[in-house]
Amino acid sequence: MDYDQHFQGTLAALRAEGRYRTFATLARIAGEFPAARYYDPATGAARRITVWCSNDYLGMGQHPAVIEATCRAVREDGAGAGGTRNIAGTNRHHIALETELASLHRKQAALLFSSGYMSNEATLSTLAKLLPGCVIFSDALNHASMIEGMRHAGCERRIFRHNDVAHLAELLAMTEPGRPKIIAFESVYSMDGDFAPIPAIVELAERHDALTYLDEVHAVGLYGPEGAGVAARDGVMDRITVVEGTLAKAFGVTGGYIASLSSLVDAVRSFAPGFIFSTSLPPGVAAGATASVRTLRASPELRERHQERAALVKSRLRAIRVPVMPSEAHIVPVMVGDAALCKRASDLLLERHAIYVQPINYPTVPRGTERLRITPTPFHDDAAVEGLVAAMGDVWGRLNLPRGAV
Ligand SMILES: Cc1ncc(COP(=O)(O)O)c(C=O)c1O
């Protein structure tokens, strides 16, 4: 077989659909968030741009306290952890971070993973294997990492329509009462910016004796009085069995975690291959993340400014009939509906306006719903917002893109 030709052909098909992924090479400029340098792929020349699609939602990746804690831990403990958690890789900074995360979510224990993806994959697959006869009820729009975890679990899976509590109730009612059940869902769906009806799902779970598994990846640091997430904001965090989160978005670093009952966390620690067989997070990352969590627990003003900026961007774009989708959260998805046009819009924003917004294509979103996903932060000032609005107006006009209602 001509392997080279085979892979070239696969990529050609992707290109023909307009959804071949190109990565923008950036240098982030610590202290000047959300500015960055962009390296032109043809010439290698760098120019200054404004990033409008980062998941470092609050700029914590460049917060002085986070940088200082990271550098200090690297100087004191070195660059790497030195092993898996079981073999010389459990560092004091991991323990401090797990203690902080358990406290943030008011749970008995927390457990770190190398990413949010891994925490979902490892935890869901392991929990379901440890519960004989388990059925998982999964929201139709759950993230790929949860879907992979459920697939590896090999148990029965029932998909409920996105955020549809009545459908979930129907599926639960059809299930034998004695079987172990997990309801897996997210608090903020990051491509649409909508919230799950968490209190209603918790009610149902309690009625049917189901365990709740809530992915708060796009909510930790951002919602609730201390940034513990939407379940905390909605007053139901104590009724969620497992909270899963990332350190890579609002906390600005990297890594993932779960927080839950000690017994459940200990079982995942003891049985999950994705936890057991992977080198633990570098101590500097763990120390930086702890500083970030502590800082954000005490920074409601950053969360308020974040929400205010997101609301401003939505209303300013809607005023010029750029079709902002009905997002309730801090994410501003703008519908384009075509993969090639979405890429073209993103290219024009970068070339003509020094604004970087990555196109979002299938399989991240369904075909025909390709979009730009804008993420305002507290550090996008009024001038940056007006610059974005003018640039989007220009690009929408040039490409004659679909308009929204005012
Ligand atoms: C809902 C959701 N869960 C989990 C993840 C994975 O988190 P991480 O980026 O830390 O691997 C993501 C990543 O974008 C996500 O959107």
Side-chain angles (χ1 to χ4, degrees):
M1 182 174 189
D2 185 337
Y3 293 107
D4 185 34
Q5 201 184 7
H6 176 79
F7 293 125
Q8 300 277 6
T10 312
L11 293 169
L14 209 56
R15 278 201 184 86
E17 269 190 65
R19 58 184 190 91
Y20 177 74
R21 294 180 177 212
T22 52
F23 300 154
T25 304
L26 305 176
R28 304 184 76 192
I29 311 168
E32 296 181 36
F33 183 85
R37 281 192 299 279
Y38 166 75
Y39 293 89
D40 187 294
T43 64
R47 67 193 166 91
R48 193 180 167 90
I49 57 151
T50 303
V51 178
W52 273 100
C53 59
S54 176
N55 280 338
D56 188 354
Y57 293 124
L58 301 178
M60 292 305 286
Q62 302 182 14
H63 192 286
V66 176
I67 293 177
E68 184 44 38
T70 305
C71 291
R72 186 166 171 202
V74 172
R75 278 194 302 270
E76 290 178 355
D77 289 57
T84 62
R85 286 291 293 269
N86 190 40
I87 306 179
T90 294
N91 187 278
R92 58 193 174 133
H93 292 294
H94 298 135
I95 304 305
L97 178 53
E98 285 173 343
T99 305
E100 187 69 31
L101 290 168
S103 153
L104 172 71
H105 293 291
R106 292 206 302 263
K107 299 291 177 203
Q108 292 171 355
L111 190 69
L112 292 170
F113 296 81
S114 46
S115 68
Y117 188 104
M118 189 48 77
S119 51
N120 274 334
E121 199 281 331
T123 306
L124 280 170
S125 60
T126 303
L127 286 182
K129 280 186 189 139
L130 292 176
L131 294 166
C134 174
V135 188
I136 305 186
F137 299 83
S138 171
D139 186 284
L141 291 191
N142 273 344
H143 189 256
S145 53
M146 297 166 87
I147 294 169
E148 281 307 305
M150 295 184 264
R151 272 201 194 127
H152 289 163
C155 70
E156 196 178 322
R157 184 160 43 116
R158 299 188 182 155
I159 316 290
F160 58 96
R161 286 187 294 272
H162 176 55
N163 277 350
D164 188 336
V165 178
H167 190 212
L168 173 61
E170 228 174 85
L171 295 179
L172 282 164
M174 282 159 47
T175 307
E176 304 85 304
R179 285 179 78 174
K181 302 172 198 73
I182 299 174
I183 303 174
F185 61 118
E186 301 179 22
S187 59
V188 174
Y189 288 85
S190 78
M191 293 300 149
D192 297 282
D194 55 344
F195 293 111
I198 305 178
I201 292 180
V202 164
E203 287 278 339
L204 266 182
E206 287 169 354
R207 205 173 319 142
H208 291 271
D209 191 25
L211 181 161
T212 41
Y213 183 97
L214 179 61
D215 175 319
E216 291 255 31
V217 158
H218 291 276
V220 288
L222 303 177
Y223 295 91
E226 293 183 60
V230 183
R233 182 199 70 179
D234 293 354
V236 290
M237 185 166 68
D238 296 342
R239 294 161 69 193
I240 296 287
T241 323
V242 184
V243 175
E244 183 272 342
T246 185
L247 303 163
K249 302 193 195 292
F251 294 131
V253 192
T254 198
Y257 65 90
I258 56 165
S260 186
L261 299 166
S262 297
S263 56
L264 186 151
V265 167
D266 203 12
V268 173
R269 184 186 76 87
S270 306
F271 290 101
F275 172 81
I276 296 172
F277 297 108
S278 188
T279 297
S280 51
L281 288 173
V285 167
T290 305
S292 184
V293 175
R294 285 186 184 147
T295 304
L296 285 187
R297 288 185 83 168
S299 306
E301 67 290 346
L302 260 185
R303 283 186 279 282
E304 280 157 24
R305 165 98 176 153
H306 182 222
Q307 294 296 323
E308 182 270 322
R309 293 284 97 181
L312 176 66
V313 170
K314 285 180 202 170
S315 77
R316 293 289 295 114
L317 288 176
R318 284 188 178 128
I320 61 163
R321 297 188 51 230
V322 164
V324 175
M325 295 166 62
S327 155
E328 308 155 79
H330 56 282
I331 292 152
V332 185
V334 178
M335 186 56 79
V336 177
D338 175 274
L341 278 174
C342 196
K343 169 85 173 84
R344 189 75 199 111
S346 167
D347 288 347
L348 281 180
L349 285 170
L350 194 57
E351 285 160 22
R352 297 181 55 86
H353 301 283
I355 283 175
Y356 174 39
V357 185
Q358 184 68 21
I360 307 286
N361 288 342
Y362 176 82
T364 309
V365 294
R367 286 179 216 272
T369 70
E370 291 81 3
R371 64 197 72 170
L372 296 178
R373 176 182 179 275
I374 299 169
T375 54
T377 75
F379 300 97
H380 288 96
D381 61 15
D382 288 348
V385 173
E386 291 317 313
L388 172 77
V389 171
M392 292 285 283
D394 173 58
V395 168
W396 247 247
R398 276 174 196 281
L399 298 178
N400 201 16
L401 293 175
R403 294 285 179 169
V406 184

